[in-house]
């Protein structure tokens, strides 16, 4: 694979073969980001579990202490006027019930980043599974997006709540902020996410839980973190 001049220059700033501690890795990630836009910094964890088994699933959500740096558009689906008003006051861009379900179903409308709903609406929202599921927008109680306290869920989503879950290769991919946050705030976000993932370790997991960890910016190279130092 051919890379551009900026990427090749960034690679020279670190040792590909080295495993860094968290502070060094994040500092290097900010230094190797060279795009003209504010790049997103991501953390990727390879776990020693088999997500094909229900008792080895790793999934949850956490509000990052410094947010994600992204303006999150929230759709709240609820039918009670009091809850609709509470969701809007909490910052939801859209709040309602039938009109939004119909809009998604018939028009393919997707002008939102997070969908939050109340338990009594899941019967209707569930019908949108084929549309929302592939886009990762299906509400889930474990992610805190199916809840009776919809105002709290909206505030958390706007504050930088992220969901972490295994993909088919047993890797978790999560944003932890923007390069402009600086290394200190990015490290705080990383450690909060790491703590949540460690806490979510399944009882059925055997051997080394975190096999590898990489942090990277949108256009930058991946910096490897020593997994033995973050267990």
């Amino acid at each position: 694979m051919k890379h551009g001049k900026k990427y090749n220059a960034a690679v020279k700033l670190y040792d590909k073969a080295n495993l860094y501690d968290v502070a060094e890795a994040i500092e290097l990630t900010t230094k190797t980001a060279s795009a003209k836009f504010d790049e997103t910094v991501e953390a990727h964890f390879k776990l020693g579990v088999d997500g094909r088994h229900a008792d080895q699933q790793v999934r949850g959500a956490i509000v990052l202490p410094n947010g994600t740096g992204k303006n999150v558009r929230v759709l709240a689906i609820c039918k009670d006027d009091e809850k609709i008003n509470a969701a809007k006051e909490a910052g939801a861009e859209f709040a309602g019930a039938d009109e939004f379900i119909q809009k998604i179903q018939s028009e393919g409308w997707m002008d939102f980043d997070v969908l939050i709903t109340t338990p009594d609406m899941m019967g209707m929202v569930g019908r949108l599974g084929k549309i929302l599921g592939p886009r990762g927008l299906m509400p889930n109680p474990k992610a805190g997006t199916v809840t009776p306290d919809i105002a709290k869920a909206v505030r958390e989503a706007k504050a930088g709540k992220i969901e972490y879950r295994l993909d088919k290769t047993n890797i978790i991919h999560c944003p932890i902020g923007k390069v402009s946050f600086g290394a200190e705030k990015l490290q705080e976000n990383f450690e909060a996410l790491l703590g949540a993932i460690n806490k979510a370790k399944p009882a059925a997991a055997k051997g080394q839980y975190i096999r590898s960890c990489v942090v990277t910016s949108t256009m930058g190279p991946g910096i490897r973190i020593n997994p033995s130092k973050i267990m």
Side-chain angles (χ1 to χ4, degrees), residues 15 108 122 151:
D15 183 356
M122 271 306 292

Side-chain angles (χ1 to χ4, degrees), residues 90-113:
E93 280 75 8
F94 313 100
D98 296 346
E99 67 272 30
F100 291 107
I101 292 173
Q102 182 62 30
K103 197 171 184 179
I104 294 169
Q105 203 162 32
S106 60
E107 301 175 22
W109 178 73
M110 286 288 159
D111 292 342
F112 55 93
D113 303 301

